[in-house]
Amino acid sequence: MSAPVVTVTLNPALDQTVLLDSLRPGAVNRANSVRLDAGGKGVNVASCLADWGLPTVATGLLGRDNTSEFEKLFARKGIADRFVRIAGQTRTNLKIVAADCGDTTDINLPGAQADADSFAQVHAAVGELCDRQGIAVFAGSLPAGIDTDAYVTLLRQAAACGMRSLLDTSDAPLTAALQSETVPYAIKPNRHELEGWCGRKLDTPARLLTAARELQSLGIVLVVISMGAEGALFVGSDREALIARPPAIRTQSTVGAGDAMVAGIAAAMIERRDPESLARLATAFAAAKLGLAGPNLPAREQVLALADATRIERLR
């Protein structure tokens, strides 16, 4: 059996996705449908990995007043639930999808207040779950009450037990992690998140590659920069740079596509795929998720077909 993946989500959310024909600000808008999914970056990653068939443990912080959607997801997909329950409700994120343009408007609501004791419980859970052959995925924003350097603490813990870590966050938590002496093994910012860190536009492949090299100079082995519909840049341990471009696919929802890519990276790391195969699989996870609502993947054969159809461009 493959080694497990541990996902850590300190600020999960219930994703309420509203589908409209078009969005008109300031007017009455009538929805075609609405759905509610247990979400948050690490939860989405765990869900996709479970669909792929990898043993997955999910931990983090959940408001105990509205845990049912998360517990149903974990039970349905066989995800081991090690979440710490805290007082209050897990936040709700509204995602408004307009069919006429395909864009998603996000409205993220505040969530439960966390504290040092609840974070200490997550820290302890990660320590108990450490596996030298596994992957620790630290993903998402931080809730109120948790220090900006929380991921730094968790990265040190994973490194101390020899576990490779994969980080997907932004803003102050990303900056804190990149300023630490213990950086993640792999990182997956999107282009806009990385622009916020480096303070300049990354609007060409050459500029993206320069930023990726800067990240590698900090000690990060694998850098993946997602670019939405344009695909993603992959720069690995051999320093070869690849741009993977997904095949065309009918989009049902873009919500969670970046998280699906993180899941694909983690799966490829566990399966010890070569750089091109890793890029193909991660891109296929993201593309496959576009055809489904919620944090889900289609059958394995469909994902592999998308991986085969992914176009690879090598940067010199």
Side-chain angles (χ1 to χ4, degrees):
M1 178 180 291
S2 299
V5 178
V6 178
T7 69
V8 180
T9 315
L10 296 173
N11 201 19
L14 288 167
D15 289 333
Q16 188 168 33
T17 304
V18 180
L19 302 179
L20 310 168
D21 289 330
S22 62
L23 177 62
R24 296 177 296 154
V28 174
N29 293 271
R30 299 192 182 280
N32 294 325
S33 65
V34 62
R35 61 176 292 136
L36 186 68
D37 294 291
K41 282 186 172 294
V43 173
N44 294 341
V45 171
S47 182
C48 290
L49 287 170
D51 288 344
W52 188 246
L54 285 177
T56 306
V57 182
T59 186
L61 300 172
L62 278 180
R64 64 170 62 97
D65 293 347
N66 57 345
T67 60
S68 62
E69 291 298 326
F70 292 91
E71 291 167 349
K72 285 188 287 187
L73 173 72
F74 300 150
R76 185 170 71 252
K77 296 204 174 188
I79 298 168
D81 177 9
R82 292 293 303 274
F83 268 88
V84 175
R85 271 61 171 176
I86 61 176
Q89 291 191 345
T90 300
R91 64 186 176 138
T92 298
N93 288 345
L94 301 178
K95 299 181 181 294
I96 304 171
V97 182
D100 59 344
C101 61
D103 289 339
T104 300
T105 300
D106 292 280
I107 303 173
N108 293 348
L109 304 182
Q113 177 84 17
D115 57 25
D117 179 66
S118 57
F119 177 72
Q121 293 180 62
V122 175
H123 185 262
V126 173
E128 294 170 6
L129 296 168
C130 271
D131 181 340
R132 286 183 176 274
Q133 301 303 312
I135 306 292
V137 178
F138 304 116
S141 60
L142 301 178
I146 299 296
D147 290 340
T148 300
D149 64 353
Y151 285 132
V152 175
T153 301
L154 294 172
L155 287 168
R156 287 174 182 156
Q157 184 181 44
C161 69
M163 198 173 196
R164 290 177 295 170
S165 56
L166 170 53
L167 178 67
D168 183 20
T169 189
S170 60
D171 301 324
L174 174 63
T175 299
L178 297 180
Q179 290 175 342
S180 169
E181 293 182 359
T182 306
V183 295
Y185 176 91
I187 191 168
K188 202 282 313 160
N190 64 39
R191 175 161 42 197
H192 301 300
E193 291 165 347
L194 196 53
E195 286 175 339
W197 171 71
C198 67
R200 63 182 188 273
K201 295 293 290 183
L202 302 175
D203 50 2
T204 68
R207 289 174 179 172
L208 280 171
L209 181 56
T210 297
R213 298 295 192 206
E214 291 173 14
L215 290 170
Q216 286 194 315
S217 73
L218 301 176
I220 299 169
V221 175
L222 173 62
V223 176
V224 181
I225 306 171
S226 57
M227 303 180 293
E230 298 175 50
L233 171 67
F234 294 78
V235 186
S237 58
D238 59 358
R239 296 184 66 80
E240 182 180 23
L242 307 173
I243 291 181
R245 303 192 188 278
I249 188 169
R250 183 176 181 180
T251 300
Q252 181 164 343
S253 172
T254 60
V255 176
D259 305 331
M261 177 169 280
V262 172
I265 295 167
M269 289 170 61
I270 287 290
E271 295 169 2
R272 301 193 179 279
R273 291 175 177 255
D274 62 62
E276 180 178 329
S277 180
L278 182 149
R280 287 183 178 278
L281 187 67
T283 303
F285 267 54
K289 195 264 151 274
L290 294 176
L292 295 172
N296 304 299
L297 290 183
R300 189 180 189 92
E301 294 74 19
Q302 291 178 250
V303 178
L304 292 175
L306 289 169
D308 289 340
T310 294
R311 292 175 291 121
I312 298 295
E313 174 187 343
R314 288 177 165 77
L315 297 184
R316 303 297 181 186

